[in-house]
Amino acid sequence: MMHQVRDVLAFPGGDNSSDTVIGGVHFNLSTLAFWNYSLYTNGTVSNGSKCYLTFKPYTPVFLFPNGTFLNATSCYSPVYGINMRAGVGIGFACLFGLALVLTLVNLTKHGRLHLPAEKRFYPIGRRWQWYWGSFVCATAMISLFTAVDVDRYYLPQLPIILTSFFWFLMQMGIMALVWEAVRHWGSWMERQYVDPDPFSLRQEGRRYWVEFWLPLIFYLFLWLNFFMIVPRSWTPIQHQRSPEQTLLSAAPTATDVRFKIASFFLCVCWLLTVFSLAHSIKHYSRPHSLLQALKSIPLRFVLILPLAAVVPAYQALVAFHFAYSPLRVDGDKAAIFAGGYAPSLLILYIQAFFGFVTPNEDLELRRQRRERGVALDQEMGVVRKPAWWRLASGDVLNPGRATSGESMRDWLTRNARQVVGERPRTDVNGTSPDGVEQDAGRAPVNLEMSPLSLAASHPNHPPPQYTGHSEARHRERTLELAAEVLFPHAQGILAEERERRRRELMEDGPPPPSYLEATREGGRYQDHPSGGAAVGSGNPRSGSVGGQSTRSTAGQPIQVRSMLDV
C-alpha cells in the first residue's frame, strides 16, 4: 500500500467568502487561514504541527476560533486494516515466540551445573548463546508486532521507526549468538582435552592469547556496528508521506554512509566467527589435511554459518538499495522477510534442535570419566561390583534415609550398634527402634547426645587431652573424646571392651623389657623359654617373678663388643 500523496489544494467554496465545505461540514475559512491550515490531496488538513483527517467518517464536526477541531482524528492513526506486511509479520512473531520457549528450555538444560564450577571454564560461558537467543527472539517480536501499525497508520510515524530500530538490534543479536555458539564449542573441546590431563593445554602461548583477544575484537566490531546505527536521528525515516518526501528525506537517511559502514563491521564479525571455528579445529580436532578439517566442522555450524552470512549481506544490500529495506513503508515484502527475518529464525530453530539432541556438558564429562575408569580397570584387571551389590551386601549404611522416614535418632542408634558390637536398647521394655526385642536382663542404654561438660564429668572419663609425643596416640585420644561427647552413657560398655582386649593381649605373656631396662640391669638379651628375656653378662640373675623380670642393682655395666650386641 502506497501512502497518500500530499499536494496542496485550494479550500472549496461555501455559502460565502468566509465559509468552506470539507467532507460535507462547513468551516470558517478565516479561522483556517489565521491558523495556517492547508488542505492536501490525501484528504488531510494540516498546519505543520497538527494534522487531521477530512474524509468521512473521520471529518471533524466543528472548528473553534482558537484553531481546535471538535471530534477530529489525527492523521497518524491506525485507520486501515491488516495488510500483507502485518499479516506475515504476525505469523513470524508467533514463530519467534515459540523459538523463545525452546531457547529457555535449552538454557535450563545446558546451563544447569552437575559438577563443581571450574575457574578455567566459567558456567556463564555455556549460557551466553542461549542468552543471546532470548534477546533475538524478544527484539524480533517487538519489531514484527510494531510492523502491524506500519500498515494500519494512515500516515507513517513512530511504528516504522520502532520496527526498524529493533530489527537492527535483532541483526546484532543473531551475529552474537552465532559467535558464542562457535566460541563455546571450542571451549568445550578444550575442556575435554584438559579433563584427563590438566597440563596438556597450558594457559600460555599463541593459542591462549588468540582465544583471549578474539572475543574482545569481535565485540568491538559488534559495538561499532551498534554505534553506527543506533545513536542518530531517526525522525527522517518516517518522512514517507509522499514520493517526493521519501526521495528527499527518508531514502538519503536510510542509505547514508553510517549504515554502509555498519554493514561492513557486521561482515567483519562474521569473518572473525569463521576464524574462531578454524582456530578451534586446528588446535582441538588437529586434522592432517584440508579434507579432514572440513569433516571436523560440526553439522550445526555447517547450517548456521551460511545463514549468518546472509545477515551482513542483506544489511549491506539495504544500505545501498532503499527499495528492499525494512525501513521503507512499502518496501519489497519478500525481500524483507526472506532476507531480514528468515535467517535469524532458522538459526534459532537449528540451535534449539541441536540443544535438545546433545546432553548437558557436565553429564557428558561424567560419562567420559566413567568410561576412562572402566578402561583403566580393565587394563589393571580390576572387576568392579555393580551398584546394587553394596545395597544387597549391607555395605551402605542406611541407604535412602531421607526417603525411608528414618529419624536422626534411629540413624545414630545404628551407628552406635556398629561401635559397641551389639544392639543398643532405647526403652525400658527392651525393644530397639527397629522392633527387635533385646535381653531383659540388661539395662537400657540411652544414646542421646549430651553436653561436653556432662561427658567430662563421667567417672570413667580419661584426661581430655593426651600430653605425650605419639601422634597415633593423640589421634586415638581425640577420637575417644569425640565418642564420649556423642555417647556418654556407653562408656561402661567401651571400658569392658577395652579390658577384654587387654586380657586377650596379655595371654601370650608380657612384652620383652626395653633397651633402657636391659642397660640398667647390666646385661644383654637372651632368649628365654618362658617368653621373657634373660641377661647374660657373667653374673647370675634371678628368673621372672609373676611374669616380670626383677631389676638387679649389682650387675656390671654392659660391655658392647659389636654392633650385634646393640
Side-chain angles (χ1 to χ4, degrees):
M1 178 195 65
M2 181 63 193
H3 286 269
Q4 304 297 324
V5 179
R6 290 170 59 92
D7 292 331
V8 181
L9 295 177
F11 285 103
D15 296 341
N16 50 49
S17 60
S18 299
D19 182 64
T20 182
V21 179
I22 303 175
V25 179
H26 292 268
F27 295 98
N28 191 309
L29 188 59
S30 300
T31 304
L32 292 174
F34 179 80
W35 293 105
N36 199 25
Y37 278 104
S38 300
L39 183 65
Y40 294 91
T41 56
N42 59 0
T44 62
V45 58
S46 174
N47 62 353
S49 60
K50 297 180 181 181
C51 181
Y52 300 102
L53 302 180
T54 60
F55 54 88
K56 294 181 180 180
Y58 307 105
T59 307
V61 297
F62 186 74
L63 175 62
F64 291 98
N66 60 0
T68 302
F69 286 93
L70 179 63
N71 197 19
T73 302
S74 173
C75 299
Y76 312 107
S77 301
V79 297
Y80 290 119
I82 293 179
N83 208 333
M84 180 180 177
R85 180 167 182 168
V88 177
I90 292 175
F92 268 81
C94 295
L95 293 177
F96 275 104
L98 179 60
L100 176 61
V101 175
L102 301 179
T103 301
L104 294 178
V105 172
N106 278 287
L107 173 61
T108 304
K109 174 184 176 181
H110 293 278
R112 183 174 299 165
L113 295 180
H114 299 275
L115 290 174
E118 303 177 31
K119 184 177 181 181
R120 187 170 179 178
F121 304 99
Y122 293 99
I124 196 173
R126 71 175 80 168
R127 301 168 183 165
W128 267 118
Q129 55 183 322
W130 308 111
Y131 290 155
W132 281 115
S134 303
F135 175 82
V136 170
C137 293
T139 52
M141 286 190 293
I142 295 174
S143 175
L144 290 166
F145 280 126
T146 54
V148 174
D149 285 336
V150 173
D151 282 350
R152 299 185 67 235
Y153 265 46
Y154 186 76
L155 294 181
Q157 199 192 27
L158 184 61
I160 187 61
I161 296 178
L162 290 178
T163 188
S164 304
F165 178 82
F166 284 99
W167 178 80
F168 279 109
L169 293 180
M170 181 198 70
Q171 300 281 289
M172 289 182 280
I174 200 64
M175 292 303 298
L177 183 152
V178 176
W179 159 259
E180 287 295 337
V182 172
R183 182 208 57 80
H184 176 66
W185 178 78
S187 176
W188 166 236
M189 297 292 290
E190 179 186 4
R191 188 181 182 189
Q192 294 178 88
Y193 258 94
V194 302
D195 188 66
D197 183 10
F199 302 100
S200 59
L201 293 173
R202 297 182 178 272
Q203 291 182 294
E204 59 185 8
R206 180 179 178 274
R207 177 196 62 84
Y208 170 77
W209 289 111
V210 167
E211 294 177 355
F212 176 82
W213 289 107
L214 202 57
L216 301 179
I217 298 174
F218 173 85
Y219 281 107
L220 172 64
F221 280 96
L222 188 68
W223 286 113
L224 286 175
N225 176 270
F226 174 85
F227 286 120
M228 286 290 103
I229 292 175
V230 174
R232 62 181 304 134
S233 175
W234 288 83
T235 303
I237 300 297
Q238 68 184 3
H239 294 164
Q240 304 181 45
R241 294 148 191 164
S242 66
E244 293 79 8
Q245 191 181 49
T246 301
L247 184 62
L248 296 176
S249 181
T253 302
T255 57
D256 64 2
V257 65
R258 295 186 61 177
F259 281 109
K260 293 180 175 67
I261 296 177
S263 63
F264 168 75
F265 288 149
L266 209 62
C267 182
V268 174
C269 292
W270 184 84
L271 294 176
L272 290 174
T273 305
V274 175
F275 176 78
S276 177
L277 178 62
H279 170 83
S280 299
I281 292 175
K282 175 184 176 182
H283 290 279
Y284 305 126
S285 297
R286 298 178 180 177
H288 299 288
S289 63
L290 179 60
L291 182 59
Q292 290 184 357
L294 295 177
K295 290 182 179 179
S296 301
I297 302 176
L299 178 60
R300 176 168 55 129
F301 300 144
V302 173
L303 297 176
I304 68 175
L305 281 176
L307 291 172
V310 178
V311 174
Y314 180 74
Q315 194 171 118
L317 174 66
V318 301
F320 287 91
H321 300 281
F322 184 63
Y324 304 102
S325 175
L327 282 70
R328 185 179 176 91
V329 174
D330 55 346
D332 192 331
K333 309 301 187 299
I336 291 174
F337 288 103
Y341 293 96
S344 301
L345 183 64
L346 292 177
I347 290 174
L348 288 172
Y349 275 94
I350 292 172
Q351 280 282 106
F353 173 77
F354 281 93
F356 280 115
V357 299
T358 54
N360 181 281
E361 293 177 7
D362 286 351
L363 299 179
E364 175 65 17
L365 209 60
R366 290 169 58 179
R367 184 191 65 81
Q368 295 179 10
R369 292 175 181 177
R370 288 194 300 267
E371 290 183 351
R372 290 196 300 268
V374 171
L376 292 176
D377 291 342
Q378 291 177 352
E379 293 179 2
M380 301 175 62
V382 178
V383 179
R384 300 285 182 182
K385 293 182 176 63
W388 56 265
W389 178 267
R390 299 178 64 193
L391 300 177
S393 59
D395 293 341
V396 179
L397 177 63
N398 190 25
R401 180 175 62 85
T403 58
S404 62
E406 188 177 21
S407 64
M408 178 60 71
R409 177 189 178 93
D410 298 337
W411 185 73
L412 292 174
T413 303
R414 291 168 63 91
N415 283 339
R417 184 182 309 160
Q418 293 187 353
V419 173
V420 303
E422 59 182 79
R423 192 183 305 275
R425 275 77 60 190
T426 58
D427 58 6
V428 296
N429 297 326
T431 303
S432 63
D434 51 4
V436 180
E437 186 175 355
Q438 304 298 320
D439 298 336
R442 292 177 178 259
V445 179
N446 189 4
L447 295 177
E448 294 292 340
M449 299 177 63
S450 301
L452 181 60
S453 59
L454 178 61
S457 64
H458 197 275
N460 295 328
H461 192 284
Q465 184 177 3
Y466 174 69
T467 59
H469 299 285
S470 174
E471 293 293 336
R473 183 59 179 162
H474 180 72
R475 289 193 297 268
E476 182 181 355
R477 290 301 303 121
T478 303
L479 292 177
E480 290 179 1
L481 178 61
E484 291 163 5
V485 173
L486 291 174
F487 310 106
H489 299 287
Q491 296 304 314
I493 300 175
L494 296 177
E496 294 176 3
E497 181 66 17
R498 285 195 295 268
E499 181 64 24
R500 183 186 63 79
R501 292 179 59 190
R502 190 186 66 80
R503 289 197 300 268
E504 291 178 354
L505 293 175
M506 293 301 294
E507 289 179 358
D508 295 334
S514 64
Y515 174 75
L516 295 177
E517 292 176 353
T519 304
R520 295 192 189 97
E521 294 175 2
R524 53 192 175 90
Y525 296 129
Q526 293 181 358
D527 294 337
H528 196 276
S530 64
V535 181
S537 61
N539 296 328
R541 179 184 172 186
S542 61
S544 300
V545 179
Q548 297 181 356
S549 300
T550 59
R551 295 182 179 181
S552 174
T553 58
Q556 297 295 328
I558 186 170
Q559 298 179 2
V560 179
R561 288 186 290 251
S562 68
M563 291 300 297
L564 296 177
D565 294 333
V566 178

